[in-house]
């Protein structure tokens, strides 16, 4: 809703809205983000830029949403999506890390009908924090798209799921292998976000119950969701959390791998747990092990 000069004598000032106003504002944020990434030596692809920007976006003030809830009779989550999509972009926050916040990223490719698995080091130190914790995940992919009207528009759909660290990775892989796209829709729930407890009733071991849920976040080429929780049991971090990203082929013809990018943000809003140090140590150990394996 932008204030601008009118093309008529009266009124001299008018309000207008539309994607033509939103696009340059978002492009400006992307330019700032790209500049900061280049300064630290990262030449980001288009999916990675998009994933960073969406992952760092935030919703408007919750008090304002609460008043809208009362006026419109809708849930805060529904209002957030209708009014602000995945949030208001903030290039600085997209890359910001501190002692209690860590941002991880990946860019690569995903084959049609393939599942990628990522280990996410969520620290046990979160158990000692009395404040809220937040985990944010964004996946952006660039599949082939329809050009002649013979196929569905997107050649590949992507769905993300995440599992706590107190379940064996083999169990997660087995559960994912038994889930087709229709069965995967069964975890969709209404209402407010559930705590990140077990979803074993759906046959998926200790799956994180995100805010937007599977069906809502799985539309389009950007998959984004987050979860906030108060109590973190140390057992949740007995091992790394597992992020599973499944790609479903929509066309019969042979298709090339789709570029994909993943951005994850782990935060202790109570400002107690040393999140960054734990994540940095875990990634360093992985790099050392990888170099040793190559030798």
């Amino acid at each position: 809703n932008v204030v601008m000069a009118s093309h008529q004598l009266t009124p001299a000032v008018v309000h207008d809205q539309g994607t033509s106003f939103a696009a340059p504002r978002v492009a400006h944020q992307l330019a700032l983000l790209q500049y900061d990434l280049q300064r630290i030596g990262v030449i980001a692809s288009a999916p990675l830029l998009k994933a960073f920007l969406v992952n760092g976006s935030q919703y408007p003030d919750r008090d304002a949403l609460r008043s809208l809830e009362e006026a419109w009779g809708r849930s805060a989550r529904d209002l957030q999506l209708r009014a602000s999509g995945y949030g208001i972009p903030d290039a600085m926050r997209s890359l910001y890390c501190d002692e209690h916040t860590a941002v991880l990223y990946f860019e690569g490719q995903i084959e049609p009908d393939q599942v990628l698995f990522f280990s996410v080091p969520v620290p046990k130190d979160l158990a000692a924090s009395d404040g809220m914790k937040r985990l944010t995940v964004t996946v952006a992919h660039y599949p082939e798209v329809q050009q002649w009207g013979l196929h569905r528009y997107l050649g590949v759909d992507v769905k993300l799921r995440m599992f706590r660290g107190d379940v064996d990775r083999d169990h997660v892989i087995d559960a994912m292998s038994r889930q087709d796209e229709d069965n995967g829709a069964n975890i969709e729930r209404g209402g407010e976000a559930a705590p990140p407890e077990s979803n074993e009733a759906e046959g998926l071991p200790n799956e994180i119950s995100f805010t937007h849920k599977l069906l809502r976040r799985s539309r389009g080429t950007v998959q984004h969701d987050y979860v906030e929780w108060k109590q973190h049991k140390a057992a949740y971090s007995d091992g790394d959390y597992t992020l599973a990203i499944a790609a479903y082929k929509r066309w019969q013809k042979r298709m090339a791998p789709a570029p994909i990018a993943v951005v994850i943000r782990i935060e202790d809003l109570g400002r107690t747990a040393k999140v960054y140090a734990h994540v940095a140590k875990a990634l360093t150990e992985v790099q050392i092990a990888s170099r040793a394996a190559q030798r």
Side-chain angles (χ1 to χ4, degrees):
N1 190 17
V2 178
V3 179
M4 60 174 55
S6 172
H7 67 284
Q8 299 177 341
L9 181 62
T10 182
V13 176
V14 296
H15 291 259
D16 207 343
Q17 68 281 325
T19 55
S20 57
F21 297 118
R25 292 187 172 195
V26 174
H28 171 68
Q29 293 292 327
L30 286 168
L32 295 174
L33 182 58
Q34 185 178 44
Y35 174 75
D36 286 339
L37 285 169
Q38 289 176 344
R39 290 178 63 189
I40 59 175
V42 178
I43 307 302
S45 63
L48 184 58
L49 283 173
K50 184 181 290 187
F52 266 125
L53 195 66
V54 172
N55 201 68
S57 298
Q58 287 189 301
Y59 287 117
D61 182 76
R62 293 190 177 189
D63 291 336
L65 279 173
R66 198 169 294 114
S67 63
L68 288 175
E69 271 189 293
E70 297 172 358
W72 292 359
R74 294 182 180 272
S75 70
R77 184 183 68 174
D78 187 46
L79 289 171
Q80 285 175 337
L81 288 167
R82 287 175 177 268
S84 305
Y86 282 144
I88 298 172
D90 183 343
M92 180 178 292
R93 185 178 185 277
S94 294
L95 298 180
Y96 179 77
C97 296
D98 60 23
E99 192 176 7
H100 312 290
T101 305
V103 176
L104 304 91
Y105 74 93
F106 164 86
E107 62 177 336
Q109 294 181 325
I110 188 168
E111 297 275 357
D113 295 331
Q114 180 188 35
V115 181
L116 297 180
F117 293 96
F118 297 87
S119 294
V120 182
V122 177
K124 281 192 174 185
D125 290 357
L126 288 173
S129 173
D130 294 330
M132 295 294 292
K133 297 86 177 165
R134 183 189 295 134
L135 179 66
T136 311
V137 181
T138 303
V139 177
H141 73 297
Y142 272 34
E144 294 183 47
V145 296
Q146 172 184 263
Q147 298 182 28
W148 300 285
L150 301 177
H151 305 286
R152 289 182 52 166
Y153 183 66
L154 298 181
V156 173
D157 284 339
V158 162
K159 293 183 180 179
L160 72 89
R161 313 175 99 117
M162 181 172 272
F163 305 86
R164 288 199 322 242
D166 55 350
V167 59
D168 186 86
R169 175 68 62 85
D170 290 339
H171 293 165
V172 172
I173 294 174
D174 180 62
M176 289 294 295
S177 68
R178 289 185 282 104
Q179 290 289 319
D180 61 26
E181 60 173 316
D182 293 325
N183 289 335
N186 290 336
I187 72 162
E188 179 75 3
R189 296 176 178 175
E192 296 303 313
E197 298 294 343
S198 172
N199 274 352
E200 291 177 353
E202 288 82 9
L204 297 171
N206 298 344
E207 183 175 355
I208 301 298
S209 184
F210 284 106
T211 300
H212 298 315
K213 309 303 178 187
L214 183 66
L215 290 181
R216 190 185 292 268
R217 69 171 176 260
S218 297
R219 301 166 183 167
T221 59
V222 179
Q223 317 295 312
H224 170 80
D225 220 329
Y226 70 97
V227 62
E228 294 180 346
W229 72 103
K230 181 80 171 179
Q231 182 182 12
H232 185 85
K233 297 179 181 178
Y236 291 172
S237 298
D238 279 348
D240 289 344
Y241 280 39
T242 299
L243 173 64
I245 303 174
Y248 299 100
K249 185 177 179 181
R250 296 307 189 190
W251 302 343
Q252 295 301 316
K253 72 169 191 173
R254 185 175 179 180
M255 297 171 58
I260 193 169
V262 183
V263 177
I264 298 173
R265 186 183 186 90
I266 307 170
E267 309 175 75
D268 176 21
L269 304 182
R271 314 293 294 171
T272 301
K274 310 296 185 184
V275 174
Y276 188 90
H278 174 89
V279 172
K281 181 175 182 292
L283 294 182
T284 300
E285 290 172 351
V286 169
Q287 291 168 355
I288 292 173
S290 177
R291 286 196 292 268
Q294 289 174 2
R295 295 195 193 102

